[in-house]
Amino acid sequence: MKYGFFDDDNAEYVITTPKTPLPWINYLGTNDFFSLISNTCGGYSFYKDAKLLRLTRYRYNGVPADVNGKYFYIKDGDCVWNPGWQPTKTELDLYECRHGIGYSKFKGVMKNIEANVLSFVPIDDTCEISRITLTNNSSENKSIKLFSYVEWCLWNADDDMKNFQRNFSTGEVEVVGSDIYHKTEYRERRNHFAVYSVNAKIDGFDTSRDAFLGAYHDNHDPEVVCEKGQCTDSIAHGWSPVAVHQINVDLAPGETKSYVFVLGYCENPVEDKWESKGVINKKPAKEMLAKYRTDADVDKAFAKLCDYWKGLLSIYSVKSKNDKVNRMVNIWNQYQCMVTFNMSRSASYYESGIGRGMGFRDSNQDLLGFVHLIPERARERIIDIASTQFEDGSAYHQYQPLTKKGNSDIGSGFNDDPLWLIAGTSAYVRETGDLSILKEMVPYDNDMSVATTLMEHLKRSFDYIVNHKGPHDLPLIGRADWNDCLNLNCFSEHPGESFQTFGPSEGPVAESVFIAGMFVKYGEEYAQLCDETGDTAEAERVRGEVAKMYDAVLKDGWDGDWFVRAYDAYGKKIGSKECEEGKIFIESNGFCSLAGIGVKEGLAEKALDSVKEHLDCKYGVMILQPAYTVYHLELGEISSYPPGYKENAGIFCHNNPWVSIAETVIGRGDRAFEIYKKTCPAYTEEISEIHKTEPYVYCQMVAGADAYLPGEGKNSWLTGTAAWTFTNISQYILGVYPTHKGLQIDPCVPHDFGDFEITRKFRGATYNISVKNPSNVEKGVKSMTVNGKSVDGCIVPIEDGVKEYNVEVTLG
Ligand code: BGC
Ligand code: NOJ
């Protein structure tokens, strides 16, 4: 069952009922100011950091109830309604929400009044614009009242929902004309304030939540709107400050009026904070608001945003006979890659924005799907991430976006982390050819006095694994590897202890075959970087270490029909036939195979067949089987989840592409695509009532076969799935892979995929790639011509000065 449809021409998902199974959200903002916005106008806004600089409040643990947002109330006689249905939930004559790329549009029609809301964050400013357009479609004059509503967060979102004894006394506001300023804590150490403004004269305002809602009312029945019909012009002193504008609107038949609301974040230099004692210097706000006063201003800023995205999405685009692939590749998957790059795992409807900062592992992986979009920002990010590495090559697992400092509550000890830095850097250099990044001086633990080149950071990443091997010469796992819940050195017995940080950060025995796979894959990528910089001795050393690891995996990481997952702290196998539960895992099988381990020996094929046999289910490839049915002290969080959920036999959408990529490595395009389809939102749209999360983006986890509701998705938006699926479809299935020497075109498609065309902008040139598959093969380039000349192999050689490459590829 569907709750809407894709409008591909406008790059929008159109939601036709407000009653979606979960709030279906969108993200507004591209740089520093961000808003989450649901299909019923729920959500919240923040500047740079969802924890420390939160502008508006959201009540997280209500989901699926979507409580708090940026609301407009329309009072038409006794009827009070919202264009996005919530919070009054008045049944509308017509409802529509269009989530687009960086904007959302809402249409609500009630009693012949049509309200259209357009919300977006302009490229150049730290504000959100919401333009509401009201049209009288009746044949009579209408006098209605429009109320806006936002509830301020007292900046630090964590403190905001805990420290009530203080917070109920600190709130402060100023109101000047139609501009409502939020200045809690501005009197002391904050140099920033927020403003909510409208470009029209108002007929009243409120800034005290209690005055507007009324005691024992909620935002679904504000007393001012539903009963009094008139704002009280309240000035908040403590308690909960809000911003409400009232505009009385008269509309003749057929008449339309529009209002531009701006919610902005502003900063002042410390010495210039005040206009007069206790009065904010409003200069930055006035300058910003002046830019968005008319419809024409809004149209211009909106057009600029749309052009910006059009430009970004023209870097990789495909035309195939498969509409679902086209829309995911050309629009939604890349869009989600941008959002995950911006947010890491901080703020969604499932990540509260107060817990997790930027992840070392996560942000590096996010780069894989983002680097082609804005390489300069990827470059900065790589330097930021590497700056949190320790001198021995290990790394803080997370860092705060605002301070860019490592988070010591979690510390280090996740032994896959170092290798992801190689993955991210390699992707950047292959994309751009910019070897200069490798020479950048980058600190360790933010200490510039011990800085070395980025290349030296990569060496230390690599050597961290070389120097931390266990009894089988496989990498020690530490606190966990990619699977945060496989906590082999944790042994936690008390609720409330974090599985990730309890126990020692390192044990001398527990080993990860998954990290071994990563080492082989990213060791080779590091060696290639050494080739590019001419360090042949290091390249040779690295390849020697990689070969040793390859052998160690075949010797002790192979279980007969698949790859072992790990060895626990007692040296016992995990992910082996010897185990009662958790006999086979996805991670080691996907990653070792995609790294090429066992390909020539025929073992990768065997491992992937085993994955299909044991881990496949209707909705995707499960993380492990059989699920753990009891808590295992020696395994940690993985066995804390009920069977079928999360890391305990759920379908982790993130690592399904690893298996799909591995299938392309051995040339099985039909199977690679079958896996791609199962978790692909454009396909799961059809079962939205089961899947529940947004049909235009990936979610982190889909409940596996053992679960109560198999197929139910959770934790949408902020997941490494976005980057990995885009990598899979764009570089492996459609096969356009950036190498140091140029673009490689080596598709691995289902036999009946048909011919297709790709436009790819790469290193300053445009590649028009046409792939023909007359014999319906799954893989294999029979011939390739570039600008009419035949070329050996499948890498398009880069020629100086050539701006356009017309590439004809024939598979066979
Ligand atoms: C989740 C993991 C996540 C980890 C982060 C766990 O509870 O299951 O998916 O990576 O928390 O700390
Ligand atoms: C989500 C985390 O953000 C990611 O770092 C981790 O790899 C997966 N969960 C699997 O545990």
Side-chain angles (χ1 to χ4, degrees):
M1 179 184 168
K2 301 203 282 183
Y3 299 82
F5 59 91
F6 286 97
D7 176 350
D8 292 334
D9 291 341
N10 290 305
E12 291 171 341
Y13 192 81
V14 187
I15 303 168
T16 48
T17 164
K19 294 168 203 167
T20 47
L22 287 167
W24 283 0
I25 73 162
N26 195 10
Y27 284 82
L28 315 179
T30 37
N31 290 310
D32 294 331
F33 187 102
F34 297 101
S35 297
L36 283 67
I37 186 163
S38 75
N39 58 313
T40 61
C41 295
Y44 57 95
S45 301
F46 60 92
Y47 174 74
K48 279 192 181 170
D49 186 318
K51 176 178 171 184
L52 298 175
L53 293 173
R54 178 89 59 115
L55 272 83
T56 59
R57 273 188 185 154
Y58 189 74
R59 314 221 202 290
Y60 318 93
N61 55 9
V63 169
D66 183 18
V67 182
N68 237 350
K70 261 155 251 150
Y71 297 127
F72 293 110
Y73 295 88
I74 292 165
K75 186 173 170 70
D76 182 358
D78 285 341
C79 177
V80 176
W81 57 282
N82 308 98
W85 183 64
Q86 291 234 65
T88 60
K89 299 195 184 82
T90 303
E91 291 297 331
L92 300 174
D93 295 337
L94 189 148
Y95 158 93
E96 184 185 88
C97 162
R98 289 178 171 259
H99 283 320
I101 305 302
Y103 67 88
S104 292
K105 289 178 173 173
F106 302 85
K107 181 194 274 192
V109 177
M110 193 62 194
K111 292 172 76 177
N112 287 322
I113 295 287
E114 176 175 329
N116 283 283
V117 180
L118 164 68
S119 298
F120 66 100
V121 171
I123 297 274
D124 308 311
D125 274 306
T126 55
C127 64
E128 177 184 332
I129 294 174
S130 302
R131 174 172 64 192
I132 178 162
T133 309
L134 299 166
T135 305
N136 178 4
N137 287 331
S138 77
S139 48
E140 293 152 27
N141 288 328
K142 287 261 196 183
S143 290
I144 57 173
K145 289 175 182 170
L146 171 70
F147 298 86
S148 68
Y149 178 76
V150 301
E151 181 178 353
W152 301 114
C153 176
L154 307 186
W155 299 112
N156 180 331
D158 190 14
D159 200 58
D160 186 63
M161 50 174 208
K162 292 201 304 227
N163 198 5
F164 307 112
Q165 61 80 26
R166 168 180 161 84
N167 295 346
F168 285 167
S169 294
T170 53
E172 290 189 292
V173 298
E174 277 179 40
V175 181
V176 183
S178 305
D179 306 337
I180 299 176
Y181 293 91
H182 176 227
K183 60 168 184 179
T184 301
E185 292 189 349
Y186 189 75
R187 62 168 57 239
E188 27 127 348
R189 293 154 297 173
R190 293 189 185 276
N191 307 322
H192 45 259
F193 59 93
V195 60
Y196 195 35
S197 163
V198 59
N199 66 341
K201 203 176 141 310
I202 56 175
D203 296 289
F205 66 86
D206 267 300
T207 66
S208 149
R209 191 181 72 186
D210 292 346
F212 178 68
L213 298 182
Y216 302 103
H217 285 247
D218 209 333
N219 59 17
H220 66 266
D221 62 345
E223 210 174 50
V224 156
V225 184
C226 299
E227 292 171 22
K228 297 185 177 145
Q230 180 59 47
C231 278
T232 70
D233 295 359
S234 56
I235 296 290
H237 298 277
W239 298 110
S240 291
V242 299
V244 175
H245 305 89
Q246 174 179 345
I247 304 175
N248 300 340
V249 188
D250 293 327
L251 290 169
E255 191 181 0
T256 295
K257 283 186 180 161
S258 67
Y259 301 93
V260 179
F261 288 82
V262 178
L263 174 73
Y265 168 92
C266 304
E267 277 176 4
N268 271 325
V270 191
E271 62 287 358
D272 224 0
K273 277 175 68 163
W274 305 105
E275 189 179 293
S276 58
K277 188 157 188 228
V279 179
I280 316 173
N281 168 11
K282 305 184 182 69
K283 195 164 158 256
K286 285 184 186 151
E287 280 169 10
M288 177 153 72
L289 295 175
K291 292 199 224 164
Y292 307 106
R293 289 281 103 168
T294 64
D295 276 336
D297 295 339
V298 174
D299 291 340
K300 200 168 127 206
F302 185 56
K304 189 166 177 187
L305 176 74
C306 295
D307 283 351
Y308 171 81
W309 269 107
K310 217 183 227 168
L312 289 181
L313 295 179
S314 69
I315 296 169
Y316 191 120
S317 65
V318 62
K319 252 192 238 158
S320 76
K321 65 176 193 189
N322 186 319
D323 286 346
K324 294 187 168 69
V325 167
N326 296 348
R327 76 166 61 109
M328 288 316 299
V329 170
N330 299 343
I331 306 167
W332 295 100
N333 199 171
Q334 296 198 63
Y335 181 47
Q336 192 179 359
C337 285
M338 167 73 109
V339 172
T340 54
F341 173 84
N342 282 328
M343 299 289 129
S344 192
R345 305 298 170 266
S346 65
S348 74
Y349 269 29
Y350 310 92
E351 302 280 7
S352 64
I354 61 176
R356 305 217 260 158
M358 312 294 288
F360 194 96
R361 169 202 295 145
D362 293 327
S363 291
N364 272 307
Q365 288 173 86
D366 291 344
L367 286 169
L368 306 180
F370 174 81
V371 67
H372 66 291
L373 291 174
I374 316 178
E376 310 76 53
R377 286 187 71 197
R379 193 184 203 275
E380 271 171 44
R381 178 63 60 78
I382 290 169
I383 306 289
D384 285 351
I385 299 172
S387 305
T388 66
Q389 195 173 19
F390 290 106
E391 285 184 78
D392 69 353
S394 66
Y396 276 112
H397 192 52
Q398 284 170 13
Y399 70 96
Q400 284 311 124
L402 211 54
T403 62
K404 304 202 172 156
K405 295 251 164 64
N407 179 351
S408 27
D409 297 342
I410 300 180
S412 64
F414 296 77
N415 284 355
D416 60 321
D417 274 335
L419 292 173
W420 292 117
L421 181 63
I422 300 180
T425 310
S426 157
Y428 170 79
V429 178
R430 284 184 288 105
E431 176 68 32
T432 58
D434 170 21
L435 290 170
S436 77
I437 192 176
L438 301 173
K439 294 198 195 124
E440 288 285 339
M441 292 301 281
V442 182
Y444 291 90
D445 193 4
N446 290 93
D447 179 357
M448 208 55 202
S449 71
V450 291
T452 68
T453 62
L454 179 64
M455 193 64 170
E456 173 65 21
H457 278 257
L458 302 190
K459 176 174 186 297
R460 293 188 194 184
S461 288
F462 182 79
D463 282 342
Y464 187 81
I465 313 300
V466 175
N467 298 329
H468 291 80
K469 290 191 194 167
H472 304 90
D473 281 330
L474 293 166
L476 290 172
I477 197 166
R479 292 196 182 283
D481 59 21
W482 172 88
N483 189 331
D484 269 329
C485 299
L486 196 57
N487 315 116
L488 304 181
N489 296 307
C490 175
F491 297 94
S492 169
E493 287 183 278
H494 304 286
E497 288 161 357
S498 155
F499 289 104
Q500 276 73 44
T501 56
F502 189 75
S505 64
E506 193 67 281
V509 176
E511 297 169 299
S512 163
V513 178
F514 167 75
I515 301 182
M518 279 188 80
F519 184 85
V520 169
K521 165 90 177 142
Y522 297 121
E524 172 56 25
E525 294 199 11
Y526 170 47
Q528 286 176 15
L529 289 170
C530 298
D531 293 340
E532 292 304 303
T533 55
D535 192 349
T536 44
E538 176 68 350
E540 201 178 313
R541 178 186 79 93
V542 168
R543 291 197 168 101
E545 292 293 343
V546 166
K548 279 196 245 164
M549 189 68 83
Y550 189 108
D551 292 345
V553 173
L554 291 193
K555 181 163 170 289
D556 289 310
W558 181 251
D559 200 53
D561 287 310
W562 57 77
F563 292 100
V564 176
R565 174 61 175 87
Y567 283 89
D568 71 14
Y570 305 106
K572 270 180 51 197
K573 282 182 188 168
I574 295 171
S576 152
K577 285 183 187 141
E578 293 168 16
C579 308
E580 245 174 67
E581 298 178 334
K583 287 176 189 289
I584 173 169
F585 278 66
I586 196 172
E587 299 99 308
S588 48
N589 287 295
F591 224 90
C592 289
S593 303
L594 80 80
I597 304 180
V599 170
K600 57 180 186 294
E601 296 85 353
L603 302 182
E605 193 176 332
K606 209 167 182 180
L608 295 172
D609 287 344
S610 300
V611 165
K612 182 167 180 170
E613 187 184 337
H614 300 285
L615 297 180
D616 231 13
C617 76
K618 192 169 162 196
Y619 304 106
V621 185
M622 293 174 284
I623 214 167
L624 65 93
Q625 277 294 302
Y628 294 108
T629 53
V630 293
Y631 176 55
H632 289 260
L633 193 60
E634 76 287 7
L635 301 181
E637 187 170 1
I638 196 165
S639 57
S640 75
Y641 286 112
Y645 293 101
K646 294 278 283 177
E647 280 86 344
N648 187 14
I651 298 154
F652 244 78
C653 301
H654 185 143
N655 50 26
N656 273 240
W658 298 345
V659 180
S660 183
I661 292 172
E663 290 286 355
T664 69
V665 169
I666 63 165
R668 299 198 293 202
D670 283 341
R671 172 69 180 147
F673 196 69
E674 182 188 338
I675 297 168
Y676 171 79
K677 271 185 354 192
K678 283 191 181 181
T679 56
C680 178
Y683 281 91
T684 52
E685 184 201 15
E686 303 288 342
I687 51 159
S688 287
E689 79 287 6
I690 298 175
H691 196 260
K692 294 191 178 155
T693 58
E694 295 90 334
Y696 38 91
V697 290
Y698 286 90
C699 60
Q700 180 205 51
M701 196 267 321
V702 173
D706 304 277
Y708 175 63
L709 287 175
E712 185 184 43
K714 283 187 191 143
N715 305 354
S716 55
W717 279 100
L718 303 185
T719 159
T721 313
W724 272 106
T725 333
F726 189 68
T727 303
N728 178 29
I729 187 76
S730 65
Q731 299 184 9
Y732 292 90
I733 294 180
L734 299 174
V736 181
Y737 178 89
T739 74
H740 293 295
K741 307 291 177 219
L743 272 189
Q744 171 183 294
I745 325 289
D746 189 13
C748 181
V749 286
H751 71 278
D752 54 358
F753 193 71
D755 301 345
F756 57 97
E757 285 167 20
I758 286 174
T759 310
R760 176 69 156 96
K761 296 188 180 142
F762 178 70
R763 302 200 195 176
T766 301
Y767 291 68
N768 305 310
I769 304 159
S770 150
V771 178
K772 301 232 160 15
N773 192 2
S775 340
N776 295 325
V777 298
E778 292 173 61
K779 191 172 185 175
V781 171
K782 196 165 122 206
S783 65
M784 181 164 95
T785 66
V786 178
N787 290 341
K789 279 185 257 145
S790 143
V791 164
D792 284 342
C794 52
I795 296 181
V796 183
I798 296 174
E799 281 180 59
D800 278 352
V802 175
K803 288 278 167 232
E804 191 156 359
Y805 296 85
N806 293 313
V807 186
E808 311 260 333
V809 175
T810 306
L811 306 181

